[in-house]
Amino acid sequence: MSGHILFSIEGAVATITINRPQARNAFTLDMYRELKQRVDMASADHQLRALILTGAGNEAFAAGTDIGEFRSFASPDDAVAYEDFIDEVLGSIERCRLPTIAVIAGACTGGGAAIAARCDMRIAGDNLRFGFPIARTLGNCLSAENLGQLAGLVGPQRVIDMI
């Protein structure tokens, strides 16, 4: 455990805190793996009634994947495998038997926005910045599953605007 994904329980509510504020809570691949483990663990605990996901600090819920994680990609197949992996992580949130609530402050972009979109409810502070700058910054895009999820939430035109 890295200490970058915190897990706590208070009463019947579990909270997962993305705890890498010095990097705007950007995810490493290990953090995504730990997030999935914690979501699955909470879902299996029948004493729990809700799961909150939030980011440490007030600057960002999560700024997506740390760009340094992409340096190891050697081929287009690596990018496809990454998107499949992210879909698996996000699917665990969507399949969670508990109501999932994203409590969002600051930047909620890229993978962070995809995580929030998969939650059942989103509660945002007045400093929310939500979007998917990855098409401009990294030259890639979301998987078809993520695009469909977003279009269902906000409509296709808003998704086009965000991307």
Side-chain angles (χ1 to χ4, degrees):
M1 304 287 173
S2 67
H4 294 307
I5 300 293
L6 305 179
F7 184 81
S8 62
I9 296 174
E10 187 173 325
V13 177
T15 300
I16 294 173
T17 303
I18 306 156
N19 185 37
R20 200 168 169 232
Q22 72 282 6
R24 296 171 49 98
N25 295 324
F27 273 83
T28 64
L29 298 179
D30 285 340
M31 288 171 65
Y32 281 120
R33 284 184 197 94
E34 190 172 349
L35 174 65
K36 182 183 182 312
Q37 290 171 349
R38 295 297 191 173
V39 169
D40 291 345
M41 184 175 72
S43 186
D45 185 338
H46 289 277
Q47 301 299 312
L48 296 175
R49 297 290 174 248
L51 175 61
I52 295 170
L53 289 91
T54 193
N58 201 35
E59 294 294 315
F61 171 76
T65 304
D66 188 315
I67 292 174
E69 294 293 304
F70 298 114
R71 290 190 183 116
S72 65
F73 287 15
S75 72
D77 291 338
D78 291 336
V80 171
Y82 163 79
E83 287 301 333
D84 289 343
F85 167 68
I86 295 301
D87 282 345
E88 181 182 322
V89 172
L90 298 176
S92 71
I93 295 168
E94 195 167 61
R95 290 186 303 273
C96 184
R97 69 164 192 84
L98 302 169
T100 53
I101 305 160
V103 177
I104 307 166
C108 183
T109 57
I115 288 168
R118 292 293 179 101
C119 288
D120 298 310
M121 181 183 295
R122 288 147 296 282
I123 301 170
D126 58 4
N127 65 341
L128 171 68
R129 290 180 316 283
F130 187 88
F132 296 90
I134 57 176
R136 289 187 308 269
T137 59
L138 297 175
N140 66 339
C141 197
L142 299 169
S143 71
E145 188 172 341
N146 282 325
L147 289 170
Q149 177 76 17
L150 287 168
L153 284 173
V154 299
Q157 189 57 49
R158 291 284 295 161
V159 172
I160 291 168
D161 291 342
M162 283 191 281
I163 292 175

Short mmCIF file of all heavy atoms in Angstrom, two decimals, residues 90-161:
data_model
loop_
_atom_site.label_atom_id
_atom_site.label_comp_id
_atom_site.label_asym_id
_atom_site.label_seq_id
_atom_site.Cartn_x
_atom_site.Cartn_y
_atom_site.Cartn_z
N LEU A 90 -12.70 1.39 -13.55
CA LEU A 90 -13.94 2.16 -13.52
C LEU A 90 -15.15 1.25 -13.41
O LEU A 90 -16.13 1.60 -12.74
CB LEU A 90 -14.04 3.04 -14.77
CG LEU A 90 -12.94 4.09 -14.91
CD1 LEU A 90 -13.08 4.82 -16.23
CD2 LEU A 90 -12.92 5.05 -13.75
N GLY A 91 -15.07 0.09 -14.02
CA GLY A 91 -16.17 -0.87 -13.93
C GLY A 91 -16.41 -1.33 -12.50
O GLY A 91 -17.54 -1.59 -12.10
N SER A 92 -15.34 -1.41 -11.71
CA SER A 92 -15.51 -1.82 -10.31
C SER A 92 -16.33 -0.78 -9.55
O SER A 92 -17.13 -1.12 -8.67
CB SER A 92 -14.15 -2.06 -9.63
OG SER A 92 -13.46 -0.86 -9.41
N ILE A 93 -16.14 0.50 -9.88
CA ILE A 93 -16.93 1.55 -9.25
C ILE A 93 -18.39 1.43 -9.67
O ILE A 93 -19.30 1.50 -8.85
CB ILE A 93 -16.36 2.94 -9.61
CG1 ILE A 93 -14.96 3.10 -9.01
CG2 ILE A 93 -17.29 4.06 -9.11
CD1 ILE A 93 -14.20 4.29 -9.52
N GLU A 94 -18.60 1.22 -10.94
CA GLU A 94 -19.96 1.12 -11.47
C GLU A 94 -20.70 -0.11 -10.92
O GLU A 94 -21.89 -0.06 -10.67
CB GLU A 94 -19.90 1.06 -12.99
CG GLU A 94 -21.22 1.30 -13.65
CD GLU A 94 -21.03 1.54 -15.14
OE1 GLU A 94 -20.50 0.62 -15.82
OE2 GLU A 94 -21.39 2.62 -15.60
N ARG A 95 -19.97 -1.21 -10.72
CA ARG A 95 -20.58 -2.44 -10.22
C ARG A 95 -20.71 -2.48 -8.70
O ARG A 95 -21.34 -3.40 -8.15
CB ARG A 95 -19.77 -3.65 -10.67
CG ARG A 95 -19.84 -3.95 -12.14
CD ARG A 95 -19.12 -5.25 -12.48
NE ARG A 95 -17.72 -5.25 -12.07
CZ ARG A 95 -16.72 -4.79 -12.80
NH1 ARG A 95 -16.94 -4.26 -13.98
NH2 ARG A 95 -15.48 -4.84 -12.35
N CYS A 96 -20.11 -1.55 -8.01
CA CYS A 96 -20.14 -1.54 -6.54
C CYS A 96 -21.59 -1.60 -6.06
O CYS A 96 -22.44 -0.85 -6.53
CB CYS A 96 -19.44 -0.28 -6.03
SG CYS A 96 -19.31 -0.22 -4.23
N ARG A 97 -21.87 -2.48 -5.13
CA ARG A 97 -23.25 -2.63 -4.64
C ARG A 97 -23.67 -1.45 -3.78
O ARG A 97 -24.86 -1.23 -3.54
CB ARG A 97 -23.43 -3.94 -3.86
CG ARG A 97 -22.73 -3.98 -2.56
CD ARG A 97 -23.20 -5.07 -1.61
NE ARG A 97 -22.64 -4.80 -0.31
CZ ARG A 97 -23.16 -3.97 0.58
NH1 ARG A 97 -24.29 -3.38 0.34
NH2 ARG A 97 -22.56 -3.76 1.73
N LEU A 98 -22.70 -0.68 -3.30
CA LEU A 98 -22.99 0.50 -2.48
C LEU A 98 -23.25 1.71 -3.36
O LEU A 98 -22.67 1.83 -4.43
CB LEU A 98 -21.80 0.81 -1.58
CG LEU A 98 -21.33 -0.29 -0.63
CD1 LEU A 98 -19.99 0.08 -0.03
CD2 LEU A 98 -22.37 -0.52 0.44
N PRO A 99 -24.06 2.64 -2.89
CA PRO A 99 -24.13 3.92 -3.59
C PRO A 99 -22.75 4.59 -3.50
O PRO A 99 -22.15 4.64 -2.43
CB PRO A 99 -25.17 4.73 -2.81
CG PRO A 99 -25.88 3.74 -1.93
CD PRO A 99 -24.96 2.58 -1.75
N THR A 100 -22.26 5.06 -4.62
CA THR A 100 -20.95 5.71 -4.66
C THR A 100 -21.14 7.21 -4.87
O THR A 100 -21.92 7.63 -5.73
CB THR A 100 -20.06 5.12 -5.76
OG1 THR A 100 -20.76 5.16 -7.00
CG2 THR A 100 -19.67 3.68 -5.44
N ILE A 101 -20.42 7.99 -4.07
CA ILE A 101 -20.58 9.44 -4.09
C ILE A 101 -19.20 10.07 -4.27
O ILE A 101 -18.31 9.86 -3.45
CB ILE A 101 -21.20 9.94 -2.78
CG1 ILE A 101 -22.53 9.23 -2.51
CG2 ILE A 101 -21.37 11.47 -2.79
CD1 ILE A 101 -22.99 9.28 -1.07
N ALA A 102 -19.03 10.82 -5.35
CA ALA A 102 -17.79 11.57 -5.56
C ALA A 102 -17.95 12.94 -4.94
O ALA A 102 -18.87 13.68 -5.28
CB ALA A 102 -17.49 11.70 -7.06
N VAL A 103 -17.10 13.27 -3.98
CA VAL A 103 -17.09 14.59 -3.36
C VAL A 103 -15.91 15.33 -3.97
O VAL A 103 -14.75 14.97 -3.72
CB VAL A 103 -16.98 14.49 -1.82
CG1 VAL A 103 -16.91 15.87 -1.20
CG2 VAL A 103 -18.17 13.71 -1.27
N ILE A 104 -16.20 16.33 -4.78
CA ILE A 104 -15.21 16.91 -5.68
C ILE A 104 -14.90 18.36 -5.31
O ILE A 104 -15.79 19.18 -5.18
CB ILE A 104 -15.74 16.88 -7.13
CG1 ILE A 104 -16.17 15.47 -7.51
CG2 ILE A 104 -14.68 17.41 -8.10
CD1 ILE A 104 -17.00 15.40 -8.78
N ALA A 105 -13.61 18.64 -5.19
CA ALA A 105 -13.13 20.02 -5.05
C ALA A 105 -12.01 20.21 -6.06
O ALA A 105 -11.19 19.32 -6.27
CB ALA A 105 -12.61 20.28 -3.64
N GLY A 106 -11.98 21.35 -6.71
CA GLY A 106 -10.89 21.67 -7.63
C GLY A 106 -10.96 20.91 -8.94
O GLY A 106 -12.04 20.62 -9.45
N ALA A 107 -9.78 20.58 -9.46
CA ALA A 107 -9.67 19.93 -10.76
C ALA A 107 -10.18 18.49 -10.70
O ALA A 107 -9.84 17.73 -9.81
CB ALA A 107 -8.23 19.95 -11.24
N CYS A 108 -11.01 18.17 -11.64
CA CYS A 108 -11.54 16.81 -11.80
C CYS A 108 -11.43 16.53 -13.30
O CYS A 108 -12.35 16.78 -14.06
CB CYS A 108 -12.98 16.75 -11.30
SG CYS A 108 -13.72 15.11 -11.37
N THR A 109 -10.25 16.07 -13.70
CA THR A 109 -9.95 15.98 -15.12
C THR A 109 -9.45 14.59 -15.50
O THR A 109 -8.98 13.84 -14.66
CB THR A 109 -8.90 17.03 -15.51
OG1 THR A 109 -7.73 16.83 -14.71
CG2 THR A 109 -9.41 18.44 -15.32
N GLY A 110 -9.55 14.30 -16.80
CA GLY A 110 -9.04 13.03 -17.33
C GLY A 110 -9.61 11.84 -16.57
O GLY A 110 -10.83 11.71 -16.42
N GLY A 111 -8.71 10.99 -16.07
CA GLY A 111 -9.14 9.81 -15.32
C GLY A 111 -9.93 10.15 -14.07
O GLY A 111 -10.81 9.41 -13.66
N GLY A 112 -9.62 11.28 -13.46
CA GLY A 112 -10.39 11.72 -12.29
C GLY A 112 -11.83 12.01 -12.65
O GLY A 112 -12.76 11.65 -11.93
N ALA A 113 -12.04 12.66 -13.81
CA ALA A 113 -13.40 12.94 -14.27
C ALA A 113 -14.12 11.65 -14.64
O ALA A 113 -15.32 11.51 -14.40
CB ALA A 113 -13.36 13.91 -15.45
N ALA A 114 -13.38 10.70 -15.20
CA ALA A 114 -13.99 9.41 -15.53
C ALA A 114 -14.42 8.67 -14.27
O ALA A 114 -15.48 8.05 -14.24
CB ALA A 114 -13.02 8.57 -16.36
N ILE A 115 -13.62 8.75 -13.21
CA ILE A 115 -13.98 8.14 -11.93
C ILE A 115 -15.26 8.80 -11.39
O ILE A 115 -16.21 8.11 -11.01
CB ILE A 115 -12.83 8.27 -10.92
CG1 ILE A 115 -11.69 7.33 -11.31
CG2 ILE A 115 -13.31 7.98 -9.49
CD1 ILE A 115 -10.39 7.59 -10.55
N ALA A 116 -15.29 10.12 -11.38
CA ALA A 116 -16.47 10.82 -10.87
C ALA A 116 -17.71 10.49 -11.70
O ALA A 116 -18.81 10.33 -11.16
CB ALA A 116 -16.23 12.33 -10.88
N ALA A 117 -17.54 10.36 -13.01
CA ALA A 117 -18.67 10.04 -13.88
C ALA A 117 -19.24 8.66 -13.60
O ALA A 117 -20.44 8.43 -13.78
CB ALA A 117 -18.26 10.14 -15.35
N ARG A 118 -18.42 7.73 -13.14
CA ARG A 118 -18.89 6.38 -12.83
C ARG A 118 -19.56 6.28 -11.47
O ARG A 118 -20.21 5.28 -11.17
CB ARG A 118 -17.74 5.39 -12.91
CG ARG A 118 -17.19 5.18 -14.31
CD ARG A 118 -18.21 4.48 -15.21
NE ARG A 118 -17.69 4.31 -16.55
CZ ARG A 118 -17.18 3.19 -17.02
NH1 ARG A 118 -17.14 2.11 -16.27
NH2 ARG A 118 -16.74 3.14 -18.26
N CYS A 119 -19.40 7.29 -10.64
CA CYS A 119 -20.08 7.28 -9.34
C CYS A 119 -21.58 7.53 -9.54
O CYS A 119 -21.99 8.11 -10.54
CB CYS A 119 -19.48 8.34 -8.41
SG CYS A 119 -17.83 7.92 -7.82
N ASP A 120 -22.36 7.10 -8.56
CA ASP A 120 -23.81 7.28 -8.63
C ASP A 120 -24.20 8.74 -8.44
O ASP A 120 -25.22 9.19 -8.96
CB ASP A 120 -24.50 6.42 -7.57
CG ASP A 120 -24.25 4.94 -7.79
OD1 ASP A 120 -24.46 4.47 -8.92
OD2 ASP A 120 -23.84 4.25 -6.83
N MET A 121 -23.40 9.48 -7.67
CA MET A 121 -23.72 10.88 -7.37
C MET A 121 -22.42 11.66 -7.31
O MET A 121 -21.38 11.13 -6.92
CB MET A 121 -24.44 10.96 -6.02
CG MET A 121 -24.85 12.34 -5.61
SD MET A 121 -25.61 12.37 -3.96
CE MET A 121 -27.08 11.43 -4.26
N ARG A 122 -22.51 12.93 -7.69
CA ARG A 122 -21.37 13.83 -7.64
C ARG A 122 -21.77 15.08 -6.86
O ARG A 122 -22.79 15.69 -7.17
CB ARG A 122 -20.91 14.21 -9.05
CG ARG A 122 -20.21 13.06 -9.77
CD ARG A 122 -20.45 13.06 -11.27
NE ARG A 122 -21.83 12.85 -11.66
CZ ARG A 122 -22.45 11.66 -11.67
NH1 ARG A 122 -21.80 10.57 -11.32
NH2 ARG A 122 -23.70 11.54 -12.03
N ILE A 123 -20.96 15.43 -5.87
CA ILE A 123 -21.18 16.66 -5.10
C ILE A 123 -19.93 17.50 -5.30
O ILE A 123 -18.82 17.06 -4.98
CB ILE A 123 -21.41 16.37 -3.61
CG1 ILE A 123 -22.63 15.46 -3.44
CG2 ILE A 123 -21.55 17.66 -2.82
CD1 ILE A 123 -22.80 14.92 -2.04
N ALA A 124 -20.11 18.71 -5.84
CA ALA A 124 -18.95 19.52 -6.22
C ALA A 124 -18.90 20.83 -5.46
O ALA A 124 -19.93 21.44 -5.18
CB ALA A 124 -18.98 19.80 -7.72
N GLY A 125 -17.68 21.24 -5.16
CA GLY A 125 -17.44 22.56 -4.58
C GLY A 125 -17.52 23.62 -5.66
O GLY A 125 -17.55 23.31 -6.86
N ASP A 126 -17.52 24.87 -5.25
CA ASP A 126 -17.65 25.96 -6.22
C ASP A 126 -16.38 26.19 -7.02
O ASP A 126 -16.36 26.98 -7.95
CB ASP A 126 -18.11 27.26 -5.55
CG ASP A 126 -17.17 27.72 -4.45
OD1 ASP A 126 -16.11 27.10 -4.23
OD2 ASP A 126 -17.51 28.73 -3.81
N ASN A 127 -15.29 25.47 -6.70
CA ASN A 127 -14.05 25.61 -7.47
C ASN A 127 -13.84 24.45 -8.46
O ASN A 127 -12.74 24.24 -8.96
CB ASN A 127 -12.85 25.74 -6.53
CG ASN A 127 -12.60 24.48 -5.71
OD1 ASN A 127 -13.48 23.63 -5.55
ND2 ASN A 127 -11.40 24.37 -5.17
N LEU A 128 -14.90 23.73 -8.77
CA LEU A 128 -14.82 22.59 -9.69
C LEU A 128 -14.34 23.03 -11.07
O LEU A 128 -14.81 24.02 -11.62
CB LEU A 128 -16.19 21.93 -9.83
CG LEU A 128 -16.30 20.86 -10.93
CD1 LEU A 128 -15.48 19.64 -10.58
CD2 LEU A 128 -17.75 20.50 -11.16
N ARG A 129 -13.39 22.26 -11.61
CA ARG A 129 -12.98 22.37 -13.02
C ARG A 129 -13.01 20.95 -13.57
O ARG A 129 -12.15 20.13 -13.25
CB ARG A 129 -11.59 22.99 -13.13
CG ARG A 129 -11.58 24.47 -12.76
CD ARG A 129 -10.22 25.12 -12.85
NE ARG A 129 -9.10 24.35 -12.31
CZ ARG A 129 -8.80 24.21 -11.02
NH1 ARG A 129 -9.55 24.76 -10.11
NH2 ARG A 129 -7.75 23.53 -10.64
N PHE A 130 -13.99 20.65 -14.40
CA PHE A 130 -14.26 19.30 -14.89
C PHE A 130 -13.97 19.24 -16.38
O PHE A 130 -14.42 20.11 -17.13
CB PHE A 130 -15.75 18.97 -14.63
CG PHE A 130 -16.15 17.56 -14.92
CD1 PHE A 130 -16.03 16.59 -13.94
CD2 PHE A 130 -16.66 17.21 -16.15
CE1 PHE A 130 -16.41 15.29 -14.19
CE2 PHE A 130 -17.05 15.91 -16.40
CZ PHE A 130 -16.92 14.94 -15.42
N GLY A 131 -13.21 18.25 -16.81
CA GLY A 131 -12.96 18.15 -18.24
C GLY A 131 -11.99 17.04 -18.59
O GLY A 131 -11.48 16.32 -17.73
N PHE A 132 -11.76 16.93 -19.89
CA PHE A 132 -10.91 15.88 -20.45
C PHE A 132 -9.90 16.50 -21.41
O PHE A 132 -10.06 16.41 -22.62
CB PHE A 132 -11.76 14.83 -21.16
CG PHE A 132 -12.66 14.10 -20.24
CD1 PHE A 132 -13.94 14.56 -19.99
CD2 PHE A 132 -12.23 12.96 -19.58
CE1 PHE A 132 -14.78 13.89 -19.11
CE2 PHE A 132 -13.07 12.29 -18.70
CZ PHE A 132 -14.34 12.76 -18.46
N PRO A 133 -8.87 17.13 -20.89
CA PRO A 133 -7.89 17.78 -21.78
C PRO A 133 -6.93 16.81 -22.46
O PRO A 133 -6.05 17.24 -23.17
CB PRO A 133 -7.15 18.72 -20.82
CG PRO A 133 -7.22 18.03 -19.51
CD PRO A 133 -8.59 17.37 -19.49
N ILE A 134 -7.12 15.50 -22.25
CA ILE A 134 -6.15 14.53 -22.75
C ILE A 134 -6.02 14.54 -24.26
O ILE A 134 -4.94 14.28 -24.78
CB ILE A 134 -6.47 13.10 -22.24
CG1 ILE A 134 -7.88 12.69 -22.64
CG2 ILE A 134 -6.24 13.01 -20.76
CD1 ILE A 134 -8.24 11.27 -22.27
N ALA A 135 -7.08 14.84 -24.98
CA ALA A 135 -6.99 14.87 -26.44
C ALA A 135 -6.01 15.95 -26.88
O ALA A 135 -5.26 15.77 -27.84
CB ALA A 135 -8.36 15.09 -27.07
N ARG A 136 -5.99 17.08 -26.18
CA ARG A 136 -5.08 18.18 -26.52
C ARG A 136 -3.68 17.97 -25.95
O ARG A 136 -2.70 18.30 -26.59
CB ARG A 136 -5.64 19.50 -25.98
CG ARG A 136 -6.84 20.01 -26.72
CD ARG A 136 -7.24 21.40 -26.25
NE ARG A 136 -7.39 21.51 -24.80
CZ ARG A 136 -8.54 21.31 -24.16
NH1 ARG A 136 -9.62 21.01 -24.82
NH2 ARG A 136 -8.60 21.44 -22.85
N THR A 137 -3.60 17.42 -24.73
CA THR A 137 -2.30 17.35 -24.07
C THR A 137 -1.52 16.07 -24.37
O THR A 137 -0.31 16.11 -24.49
CB THR A 137 -2.47 17.48 -22.54
OG1 THR A 137 -3.31 16.43 -22.07
CG2 THR A 137 -3.03 18.83 -22.17
N LEU A 138 -2.22 14.95 -24.47
CA LEU A 138 -1.53 13.68 -24.67
C LEU A 138 -1.77 13.09 -26.06
O LEU A 138 -1.07 12.17 -26.45
CB LEU A 138 -1.99 12.65 -23.62
CG LEU A 138 -1.66 13.01 -22.18
CD1 LEU A 138 -2.25 11.98 -21.23
CD2 LEU A 138 -0.15 13.10 -21.99
N GLY A 139 -2.77 13.58 -26.75
CA GLY A 139 -3.05 13.06 -28.08
C GLY A 139 -3.82 11.75 -28.08
O GLY A 139 -3.91 11.08 -29.10
N ASN A 140 -4.37 11.37 -26.94
CA ASN A 140 -5.20 10.17 -26.91
C ASN A 140 -6.62 10.55 -26.53
O ASN A 140 -6.95 11.73 -26.44
CB ASN A 140 -4.62 9.13 -25.95
CG ASN A 140 -4.65 9.57 -24.50
OD1 ASN A 140 -4.73 10.75 -24.19
ND2 ASN A 140 -4.58 8.61 -23.60
N CYS A 141 -7.46 9.58 -26.34
CA CYS A 141 -8.85 9.86 -26.03
C CYS A 141 -9.37 8.80 -25.07
O CYS A 141 -8.67 7.85 -24.75
CB CYS A 141 -9.68 9.90 -27.31
SG CYS A 141 -11.28 10.71 -27.06
N LEU A 142 -10.58 8.96 -24.63
CA LEU A 142 -11.21 8.00 -23.74
C LEU A 142 -11.67 6.78 -24.52
O LEU A 142 -11.91 6.85 -25.73
CB LEU A 142 -12.42 8.65 -23.06
CG LEU A 142 -12.13 9.86 -22.20
CD1 LEU A 142 -13.43 10.55 -21.82
CD2 LEU A 142 -11.34 9.47 -20.97
N SER A 143 -11.86 5.69 -23.82
CA SER A 143 -12.41 4.49 -24.46
C SER A 143 -13.86 4.75 -24.86
O SER A 143 -14.51 5.67 -24.35
CB SER A 143 -12.34 3.31 -23.49
OG SER A 143 -13.28 3.49 -22.44
N ALA A 144 -14.35 3.92 -25.76
CA ALA A 144 -15.74 4.05 -26.20
C ALA A 144 -16.69 3.89 -25.02
O ALA A 144 -17.72 4.58 -24.95
CB ALA A 144 -16.04 3.02 -27.28
N GLU A 145 -16.35 3.02 -24.08
CA GLU A 145 -17.20 2.82 -22.90
C GLU A 145 -17.29 4.10 -22.07
O GLU A 145 -18.36 4.50 -21.63
CB GLU A 145 -16.66 1.66 -22.05
CG GLU A 145 -17.58 1.27 -20.92
CD GLU A 145 -17.12 0.02 -20.20
OE1 GLU A 145 -16.33 -0.76 -20.76
OE2 GLU A 145 -17.59 -0.17 -19.07
N ASN A 146 -16.15 4.75 -21.86
CA ASN A 146 -16.15 6.01 -21.10
C ASN A 146 -16.89 7.11 -21.83
O ASN A 146 -17.63 7.88 -21.22
CB ASN A 146 -14.72 6.45 -20.80
CG ASN A 146 -14.11 5.68 -19.66
OD1 ASN A 146 -14.79 5.32 -18.71
ND2 ASN A 146 -12.84 5.41 -19.75
N LEU A 147 -16.69 7.20 -23.13
CA LEU A 147 -17.42 8.22 -23.90
C LEU A 147 -18.92 8.00 -23.82
O LEU A 147 -19.69 8.94 -23.65
CB LEU A 147 -16.95 8.21 -25.35
CG LEU A 147 -15.54 8.75 -25.58
CD1 LEU A 147 -15.09 8.46 -27.01
CD2 LEU A 147 -15.47 10.23 -25.29
N GLY A 148 -19.35 6.74 -23.93
CA GLY A 148 -20.78 6.42 -23.82
C GLY A 148 -21.34 6.76 -22.46
O GLY A 148 -22.45 7.29 -22.34
N GLN A 149 -20.58 6.47 -21.41
CA GLN A 149 -21.01 6.79 -20.05
C GLN A 149 -21.21 8.29 -19.89
O GLN A 149 -22.22 8.75 -19.35
CB GLN A 149 -19.96 6.28 -19.05
CG GLN A 149 -20.26 6.61 -17.61
CD GLN A 149 -21.34 5.75 -17.02
OE1 GLN A 149 -21.67 4.70 -17.55
NE2 GLN A 149 -21.92 6.18 -15.92
N LEU A 150 -20.26 9.06 -20.36
CA LEU A 150 -20.35 10.52 -20.26
C LEU A 150 -21.51 11.06 -21.07
O LEU A 150 -22.24 11.95 -20.62
CB LEU A 150 -19.06 11.16 -20.72
CG LEU A 150 -17.91 11.02 -19.74
CD1 LEU A 150 -16.61 11.43 -20.41
CD2 LEU A 150 -18.17 11.86 -18.51
N ALA A 151 -21.69 10.56 -22.30
CA ALA A 151 -22.79 11.02 -23.14
C ALA A 151 -24.13 10.75 -22.46
O ALA A 151 -25.05 11.57 -22.56
CB ALA A 151 -22.73 10.36 -24.51
N GLY A 152 -24.23 9.63 -21.76
CA GLY A 152 -25.46 9.34 -21.03
C GLY A 152 -25.70 10.30 -19.88
O GLY A 152 -26.84 10.58 -19.52
N LEU A 153 -24.64 10.82 -19.30
CA LEU A 153 -24.77 11.75 -18.17
C LEU A 153 -25.06 13.18 -18.61
O LEU A 153 -25.91 13.85 -18.03
CB LEU A 153 -23.48 11.76 -17.34
CG LEU A 153 -23.24 10.59 -16.42
CD1 LEU A 153 -21.86 10.68 -15.80
CD2 LEU A 153 -24.29 10.52 -15.33
N VAL A 154 -24.31 13.66 -19.61
CA VAL A 154 -24.38 15.08 -19.94
C VAL A 154 -24.77 15.36 -21.39
O VAL A 154 -24.92 16.52 -21.77
CB VAL A 154 -23.05 15.81 -19.62
CG1 VAL A 154 -22.72 15.71 -18.14
CG2 VAL A 154 -21.91 15.29 -20.47
N GLY A 155 -24.91 14.32 -22.18
CA GLY A 155 -25.27 14.50 -23.59
C GLY A 155 -24.04 14.54 -24.48
O GLY A 155 -22.97 14.97 -24.07
N PRO A 156 -24.21 14.09 -25.72
CA PRO A 156 -23.07 14.00 -26.63
C PRO A 156 -22.39 15.34 -26.93
O PRO A 156 -21.17 15.41 -27.03
CB PRO A 156 -23.67 13.40 -27.91
CG PRO A 156 -25.02 12.93 -27.57
CD PRO A 156 -25.43 13.55 -26.29
N GLN A 157 -23.17 16.41 -27.08
CA GLN A 157 -22.56 17.69 -27.41
C GLN A 157 -21.67 18.21 -26.30
O GLN A 157 -20.58 18.73 -26.54
CB GLN A 157 -23.64 18.73 -27.76
CG GLN A 157 -23.07 20.02 -28.32
CD GLN A 157 -22.22 19.78 -29.57
OE1 GLN A 157 -22.64 19.10 -30.49
NE2 GLN A 157 -21.01 20.34 -29.58
N ARG A 158 -22.10 18.03 -25.04
CA ARG A 158 -21.27 18.47 -23.91
C ARG A 158 -19.98 17.67 -23.84
O ARG A 158 -18.92 18.20 -23.51
CB ARG A 158 -22.03 18.35 -22.59
CG ARG A 158 -23.18 19.32 -22.44
CD ARG A 158 -22.75 20.70 -22.12
NE ARG A 158 -22.11 20.73 -20.81
CZ ARG A 158 -21.31 21.69 -20.41
NH1 ARG A 158 -21.06 22.71 -21.18
NH2 ARG A 158 -20.76 21.66 -19.23
N VAL A 159 -20.07 16.36 -24.18
CA VAL A 159 -18.85 15.54 -24.18
C VAL A 159 -17.88 16.05 -25.24
O VAL A 159 -16.69 16.20 -24.98
CB VAL A 159 -19.19 14.05 -24.43
CG1 VAL A 159 -17.93 13.23 -24.62
CG2 VAL A 159 -20.00 13.49 -23.26
N ILE A 160 -18.39 16.38 -26.40
CA ILE A 160 -17.53 16.93 -27.47
C ILE A 160 -16.89 18.22 -26.99
O ILE A 160 -15.69 18.45 -27.18
CB ILE A 160 -18.34 17.15 -28.76
CG1 ILE A 160 -18.72 15.79 -29.36
CG2 ILE A 160 -17.56 17.99 -29.77
CD1 ILE A 160 -19.74 15.87 -30.46
N ASP A 161 -17.65 19.08 -26.34
CA ASP A 161 -17.10 20.33 -25.81
C ASP A 161 -16.01 20.08 -24.77
O ASP A 161 -15.00 20.77 -24.74
CB ASP A 161 -18.19 21.19 -25.18
CG ASP A 161 -19.18 21.74 -26.20
OD1 ASP A 161 -18.85 21.76 -27.42
OD2 ASP A 161 -20.28 22.16 -25.79
#
